[in-house]
Amino acid sequence: MPNGSRCGDLLKALWWDGQGLVLLAKRLEKGRFLWPTIAREGVVTLTAAQLAMLLEGLDWRTPTPSWKPEIAV
């Protein structure tokens, strides 16, 4: 689904849990969601691992962070 924010920091998704639809929304404090630029018929199929990376703000095509911490503790 396209991001609801032009900054790319907001993701909204619908999920069918077997009994009804669930609306999920997540906004990243740092970084942005890296969504495919071209989706056939508005549908993108992701594996569970790709979805987990997308929700963490990682590039699910090549797992690298979309932001880097300034100082590692």
Side-chain angles (χ1 to χ4, degrees):
M1 289 177 187
N3 292 331
S5 167
R6 292 179 190 237
C7 300
D9 64 348
L10 177 64
L11 177 89
K12 296 177 190 172
L14 291 173
W15 172 54
W16 176 258
D17 68 357
Q19 296 180 335
L21 284 174
V22 178
L23 173 63
L24 304 167
K26 182 171 181 175
R27 184 181 304 272
L28 293 176
E29 290 183 13
K30 294 183 180 179
R32 61 187 181 91
F33 293 106
L34 300 170
W35 199 252
T37 54
I38 299 173
R40 281 181 273 162
E41 300 175 13
V43 176
V44 176
T45 303
L46 300 175
T47 66
Q50 290 171 326
L51 178 60
M53 287 186 278
L54 176 70
L55 293 175
E56 290 296 322
L58 300 174
D59 184 347
W60 55 273
R61 299 161 296 187
T62 55
T64 56
S66 61
W67 65 278
K68 296 190 186 313
E70 296 178 15
I71 299 174
V73 178

